[in-house]
mmCIF file of all heavy atoms in Angstrom:
data_model
loop_
_atom_site.group_PDB
_atom_site.id
_atom_site.type_symbol
_atom_site.label_atom_id
_atom_site.label_comp_id
_atom_site.label_asym_id
_atom_site.label_seq_id
_atom_site.Cartn_x
_atom_site.Cartn_y
_atom_site.Cartn_z
ATOM 1 N N ASN A 1243 96.332 -63.369 -42.196
ATOM 2 C CA ASN A 1243 97.452 -62.767 -42.990
ATOM 3 C C ASN A 1243 98.557 -62.218 -42.224
ATOM 4 O O ASN A 1243 99.537 -61.819 -42.824
ATOM 5 C CB ASN A 1243 96.874 -61.662 -43.937
ATOM 6 C CG ASN A 1243 96.181 -60.534 -43.197
ATOM 7 O OD1 ASN A 1243 96.439 -60.342 -41.954
ATOM 8 N ND2 ASN A 1243 95.434 -59.748 -43.910
ATOM 9 N N ALA A 1244 98.420 -62.185 -40.881
ATOM 10 C CA ALA A 1244 99.449 -61.542 -40.160
ATOM 11 C C ALA A 1244 100.873 -62.132 -40.287
ATOM 12 O O ALA A 1244 101.837 -61.316 -40.470
ATOM 13 C CB ALA A 1244 99.095 -61.515 -38.594
ATOM 14 N N VAL A 1245 101.019 -63.429 -40.202
ATOM 15 C CA VAL A 1245 102.264 -64.073 -40.294
ATOM 16 C C VAL A 1245 102.985 -63.651 -41.655
ATOM 17 O O VAL A 1245 104.179 -63.402 -41.746
ATOM 18 C CB VAL A 1245 102.139 -65.567 -40.109
ATOM 19 C CG1 VAL A 1245 103.522 -66.228 -40.392
ATOM 20 C CG2 VAL A 1245 101.664 -65.818 -38.683
ATOM 21 N N GLY A 1246 102.205 -63.820 -42.756
ATOM 22 C CA GLY A 1246 102.821 -63.432 -44.016
ATOM 23 C C GLY A 1246 103.298 -62.075 -44.145
ATOM 24 O O GLY A 1246 104.209 -61.764 -44.776
ATOM 25 N N ILE A 1247 102.538 -61.113 -43.577
ATOM 26 C CA ILE A 1247 102.885 -59.692 -43.634
ATOM 27 C C ILE A 1247 104.061 -59.404 -42.707
ATOM 28 O O ILE A 1247 104.925 -58.605 -43.107
ATOM 29 C CB ILE A 1247 101.654 -58.883 -43.255
ATOM 30 C CG1 ILE A 1247 100.526 -59.010 -44.354
ATOM 31 C CG2 ILE A 1247 102.073 -57.449 -43.048
ATOM 32 C CD1 ILE A 1247 99.232 -58.279 -43.972
ATOM 33 N N LEU A 1248 104.158 -60.038 -41.521
ATOM 34 C CA LEU A 1248 105.081 -59.604 -40.458
ATOM 35 C C LEU A 1248 106.357 -60.497 -40.471
ATOM 36 O O LEU A 1248 107.290 -60.145 -39.729
ATOM 37 C CB LEU A 1248 104.389 -59.700 -39.174
ATOM 38 C CG LEU A 1248 103.121 -58.773 -39.001
ATOM 39 C CD1 LEU A 1248 102.451 -59.109 -37.670
ATOM 40 C CD2 LEU A 1248 103.473 -57.324 -39.139
ATOM 41 N N LYS A 1249 106.383 -61.564 -41.215
ATOM 42 C CA LYS A 1249 107.470 -62.531 -41.104
ATOM 43 C C LYS A 1249 108.868 -61.975 -41.262
ATOM 44 O O LYS A 1249 109.852 -62.530 -40.658
ATOM 45 C CB LYS A 1249 107.274 -63.766 -41.955
ATOM 46 C CG LYS A 1249 107.286 -63.432 -43.458
ATOM 47 C CD LYS A 1249 107.011 -64.630 -44.301
ATOM 48 C CE LYS A 1249 106.748 -64.269 -45.699
ATOM 49 N NZ LYS A 1249 107.950 -63.684 -46.351
ATOM 50 N N ASP A 1250 109.005 -60.939 -42.023
ATOM 51 C CA ASP A 1250 110.345 -60.396 -42.314
ATOM 52 C C ASP A 1250 110.711 -59.160 -41.339
ATOM 53 O O ASP A 1250 111.814 -58.621 -41.474
ATOM 54 C CB ASP A 1250 110.404 -59.833 -43.776
ATOM 55 C CG ASP A 1250 110.306 -60.877 -44.744
ATOM 56 O OD1 ASP A 1250 110.772 -62.039 -44.451
ATOM 57 O OD2 ASP A 1250 109.844 -60.673 -45.887
ATOM 58 N N ALA A 1251 109.806 -58.893 -40.416
ATOM 59 C CA ALA A 1251 110.120 -57.663 -39.483
ATOM 60 C C ALA A 1251 110.999 -58.192 -38.401
ATOM 61 O O ALA A 1251 110.804 -59.271 -37.785
ATOM 62 C CB ALA A 1251 108.812 -57.177 -38.939
ATOM 63 N N ASP A 1252 111.939 -57.302 -37.979
ATOM 64 C CA ASP A 1252 112.651 -57.572 -36.740
ATOM 65 C C ASP A 1252 111.921 -57.181 -35.546
ATOM 66 O O ASP A 1252 112.002 -57.785 -34.468
ATOM 67 C CB ASP A 1252 114.030 -56.783 -36.851
ATOM 68 C CG ASP A 1252 114.923 -57.139 -37.945
ATOM 69 O OD1 ASP A 1252 115.272 -58.340 -38.073
ATOM 70 O OD2 ASP A 1252 115.178 -56.263 -38.769
ATOM 71 N N VAL A 1253 111.142 -56.073 -35.643
ATOM 72 C CA VAL A 1253 110.301 -55.670 -34.525
ATOM 73 C C VAL A 1253 108.937 -55.231 -35.074
ATOM 74 O O VAL A 1253 108.869 -54.662 -36.153
ATOM 75 C CB VAL A 1253 111.006 -54.318 -33.800
ATOM 76 C CG1 VAL A 1253 110.137 -53.975 -32.675
ATOM 77 C CG2 VAL A 1253 112.369 -54.635 -33.421
ATOM 78 N N ILE A 1254 107.876 -55.511 -34.350
ATOM 79 C CA ILE A 1254 106.626 -55.214 -34.708
ATOM 80 C C ILE A 1254 105.946 -54.207 -33.732
ATOM 81 O O ILE A 1254 105.987 -54.483 -32.495
ATOM 82 C CB ILE A 1254 105.702 -56.470 -34.750
ATOM 83 C CG1 ILE A 1254 106.322 -57.522 -35.709
ATOM 84 C CG2 ILE A 1254 104.249 -56.208 -34.995
ATOM 85 C CD1 ILE A 1254 105.886 -58.970 -35.560
ATOM 86 N N CYS A 1255 105.415 -53.096 -34.216
ATOM 87 C CA CYS A 1255 104.731 -52.157 -33.450
ATOM 88 C C CYS A 1255 103.204 -52.335 -33.637
ATOM 89 O O CYS A 1255 102.700 -52.136 -34.712
ATOM 90 C CB CYS A 1255 105.164 -50.759 -33.860
ATOM 91 S SG CYS A 1255 106.812 -50.294 -33.487
ATOM 92 N N GLU A 1256 102.543 -52.408 -32.449
ATOM 93 C CA GLU A 1256 101.140 -52.439 -32.510
ATOM 94 C C GLU A 1256 100.566 -51.024 -32.223
ATOM 95 O O GLU A 1256 101.047 -50.402 -31.299
ATOM 96 C CB GLU A 1256 100.565 -53.336 -31.422
ATOM 97 C CG GLU A 1256 99.034 -53.385 -31.234
ATOM 98 C CD GLU A 1256 98.465 -52.265 -30.393
ATOM 99 O OE1 GLU A 1256 99.077 -51.942 -29.263
ATOM 100 O OE2 GLU A 1256 97.621 -51.595 -30.918
ATOM 101 N N ALA A 1257 99.790 -50.549 -33.128
ATOM 102 C CA ALA A 1257 99.313 -49.141 -32.940
ATOM 103 C C ALA A 1257 97.889 -48.977 -33.464
ATOM 104 O O ALA A 1257 97.458 -48.129 -34.173
ATOM 105 C CB ALA A 1257 100.180 -48.193 -33.940
ATOM 106 N N PHE A 1258 96.994 -49.930 -32.932
ATOM 107 C CA PHE A 1258 95.650 -49.936 -33.177
ATOM 108 C C PHE A 1258 94.871 -49.184 -32.236
ATOM 109 O O PHE A 1258 95.227 -48.887 -31.042
ATOM 110 C CB PHE A 1258 95.062 -51.383 -33.206
ATOM 111 C CG PHE A 1258 95.654 -52.226 -34.400
ATOM 112 C CD1 PHE A 1258 96.071 -53.513 -34.157
ATOM 113 C CD2 PHE A 1258 95.765 -51.713 -35.617
ATOM 114 C CE1 PHE A 1258 96.591 -54.348 -35.193
ATOM 115 C CE2 PHE A 1258 96.255 -52.549 -36.664
ATOM 116 C CZ PHE A 1258 96.661 -53.809 -36.425
ATOM 117 N N ASP A 1259 93.626 -48.817 -32.540
ATOM 118 C CA ASP A 1259 92.615 -48.151 -31.549
ATOM 119 C C ASP A 1259 91.819 -49.210 -30.870
ATOM 120 O O ASP A 1259 91.643 -49.068 -29.663
ATOM 121 C CB ASP A 1259 91.679 -47.239 -32.351
ATOM 122 C CG ASP A 1259 92.383 -46.103 -32.927
ATOM 123 O OD1 ASP A 1259 93.388 -45.563 -32.316
ATOM 124 O OD2 ASP A 1259 91.907 -45.524 -34.000
ATOM 125 N N ALA A 1260 91.402 -50.241 -31.521
ATOM 126 C CA ALA A 1260 90.397 -51.189 -30.906
ATOM 127 C C ALA A 1260 91.132 -52.273 -30.154
ATOM 128 O O ALA A 1260 92.122 -52.833 -30.542
ATOM 129 C CB ALA A 1260 89.605 -51.832 -32.024
ATOM 130 N N ALA A 1261 90.522 -52.562 -28.936
ATOM 131 C CA ALA A 1261 91.160 -53.510 -28.079
ATOM 132 C C ALA A 1261 91.241 -54.877 -28.654
ATOM 133 O O ALA A 1261 92.157 -55.644 -28.404
ATOM 134 C CB ALA A 1261 90.375 -53.477 -26.634
ATOM 135 N N ASP A 1262 90.182 -55.239 -29.339
ATOM 136 C CA ASP A 1262 90.206 -56.638 -29.979
ATOM 137 C C ASP A 1262 91.315 -56.780 -31.045
ATOM 138 O O ASP A 1262 91.871 -57.895 -31.126
ATOM 139 C CB ASP A 1262 88.808 -57.012 -30.514
ATOM 140 C CG ASP A 1262 88.291 -55.981 -31.568
ATOM 141 O OD1 ASP A 1262 88.913 -54.889 -31.688
ATOM 142 O OD2 ASP A 1262 87.306 -56.381 -32.277
ATOM 143 N N SER A 1263 91.564 -55.746 -31.753
ATOM 144 C CA SER A 1263 92.576 -55.734 -32.816
ATOM 145 C C SER A 1263 93.966 -55.885 -32.108
ATOM 146 O O SER A 1263 94.864 -56.550 -32.564
ATOM 147 C CB SER A 1263 92.520 -54.572 -33.691
ATOM 148 O OG SER A 1263 91.332 -54.519 -34.432
ATOM 149 N N LYS A 1264 94.177 -55.177 -31.015
ATOM 150 C CA LYS A 1264 95.378 -55.132 -30.247
ATOM 151 C C LYS A 1264 95.597 -56.615 -29.767
ATOM 152 O O LYS A 1264 96.721 -57.150 -29.907
ATOM 153 C CB LYS A 1264 95.305 -54.259 -28.984
ATOM 154 C CG LYS A 1264 95.358 -52.825 -29.378
ATOM 155 C CD LYS A 1264 95.165 -51.902 -28.096
ATOM 156 C CE LYS A 1264 95.270 -50.403 -28.355
ATOM 157 N NZ LYS A 1264 96.566 -49.955 -28.638
ATOM 158 N N ALA A 1265 94.556 -57.191 -29.185
ATOM 159 C CA ALA A 1265 94.618 -58.533 -28.607
ATOM 160 C C ALA A 1265 94.974 -59.558 -29.633
ATOM 161 O O ALA A 1265 95.901 -60.424 -29.493
ATOM 162 C CB ALA A 1265 93.428 -58.914 -27.806
ATOM 163 N N MET A 1266 94.355 -59.426 -30.785
ATOM 164 C CA MET A 1266 94.565 -60.349 -31.961
ATOM 165 C C MET A 1266 96.025 -60.305 -32.405
ATOM 166 O O MET A 1266 96.619 -61.338 -32.525
ATOM 167 C CB MET A 1266 93.627 -60.007 -33.107
ATOM 168 C CG MET A 1266 93.785 -60.861 -34.317
ATOM 169 S SD MET A 1266 95.265 -60.369 -35.415
ATOM 170 C CE MET A 1266 94.840 -58.681 -35.837
ATOM 171 N N LEU A 1267 96.587 -59.146 -32.556
ATOM 172 C CA LEU A 1267 97.923 -58.961 -33.024
ATOM 173 C C LEU A 1267 98.888 -59.537 -32.053
ATOM 174 O O LEU A 1267 99.890 -60.306 -32.295
ATOM 175 C CB LEU A 1267 98.235 -57.525 -33.376
ATOM 176 C CG LEU A 1267 99.636 -57.321 -34.056
ATOM 177 C CD1 LEU A 1267 99.687 -57.908 -35.419
ATOM 178 C CD2 LEU A 1267 99.960 -55.883 -34.096
ATOM 179 N N ILE A 1268 98.712 -59.172 -30.784
ATOM 180 C CA ILE A 1268 99.696 -59.578 -29.708
ATOM 181 C C ILE A 1268 99.571 -61.133 -29.637
ATOM 182 O O ILE A 1268 100.660 -61.790 -29.589
ATOM 183 C CB ILE A 1268 99.320 -58.948 -28.311
ATOM 184 C CG1 ILE A 1268 99.543 -57.399 -28.431
ATOM 185 C CG2 ILE A 1268 100.204 -59.636 -27.323
ATOM 186 C CD1 ILE A 1268 99.037 -56.684 -27.380
ATOM 187 N N ASN A 1269 98.376 -61.713 -29.583
ATOM 188 C CA ASN A 1269 98.303 -63.148 -29.423
ATOM 189 C C ASN A 1269 98.799 -63.894 -30.647
ATOM 190 O O ASN A 1269 99.501 -64.931 -30.463
ATOM 191 C CB ASN A 1269 96.856 -63.511 -29.239
ATOM 192 C CG ASN A 1269 96.326 -63.071 -27.869
ATOM 193 O OD1 ASN A 1269 97.115 -62.843 -26.919
ATOM 194 N ND2 ASN A 1269 95.027 -62.900 -27.810
ATOM 195 N N THR A 1270 98.647 -63.383 -31.841
ATOM 196 C CA THR A 1270 99.124 -63.994 -33.089
ATOM 197 C C THR A 1270 100.713 -63.968 -33.116
ATOM 198 O O THR A 1270 101.287 -65.059 -33.359
ATOM 199 C CB THR A 1270 98.601 -63.249 -34.272
ATOM 200 O OG1 THR A 1270 97.102 -63.434 -34.290
ATOM 201 C CG2 THR A 1270 99.109 -63.953 -35.519
ATOM 202 N N VAL A 1271 101.214 -62.772 -32.774
ATOM 203 C CA VAL A 1271 102.632 -62.729 -32.777
ATOM 204 C C VAL A 1271 103.301 -63.576 -31.706
ATOM 205 O O VAL A 1271 104.300 -64.324 -32.007
ATOM 206 C CB VAL A 1271 103.198 -61.227 -32.635
ATOM 207 C CG1 VAL A 1271 104.658 -61.139 -32.423
ATOM 208 C CG2 VAL A 1271 102.746 -60.464 -33.903
ATOM 209 N N ARG A 1272 102.803 -63.552 -30.562
ATOM 210 C CA ARG A 1272 103.420 -64.338 -29.440
ATOM 211 C C ARG A 1272 103.288 -65.882 -29.684
ATOM 212 O O ARG A 1272 104.077 -66.620 -29.323
ATOM 213 C CB ARG A 1272 102.687 -64.069 -28.059
ATOM 214 C CG ARG A 1272 102.813 -62.530 -27.708
ATOM 215 C CD ARG A 1272 104.292 -62.106 -27.584
ATOM 216 N NE ARG A 1272 104.880 -62.685 -26.373
ATOM 217 C CZ ARG A 1272 106.136 -62.835 -26.188
ATOM 218 N NH1 ARG A 1272 106.951 -62.502 -27.214
ATOM 219 N NH2 ARG A 1272 106.706 -63.342 -25.134
ATOM 220 N N SER A 1273 102.179 -66.281 -30.364
ATOM 221 C CA SER A 1273 101.990 -67.767 -30.556
ATOM 222 C C SER A 1273 102.620 -68.230 -31.897
ATOM 223 O O SER A 1273 103.205 -69.350 -31.953
ATOM 224 C CB SER A 1273 100.485 -68.046 -30.571
ATOM 225 O OG SER A 1273 99.901 -67.318 -31.699
#
């Protein structure tokens, strides 16, 4: 669901606690 939620953002801030969630978001946005 990340792309659908984030597609209209100019900048995305990652603010998670868990390392796996951080990695998922970064990798999804970058790819």
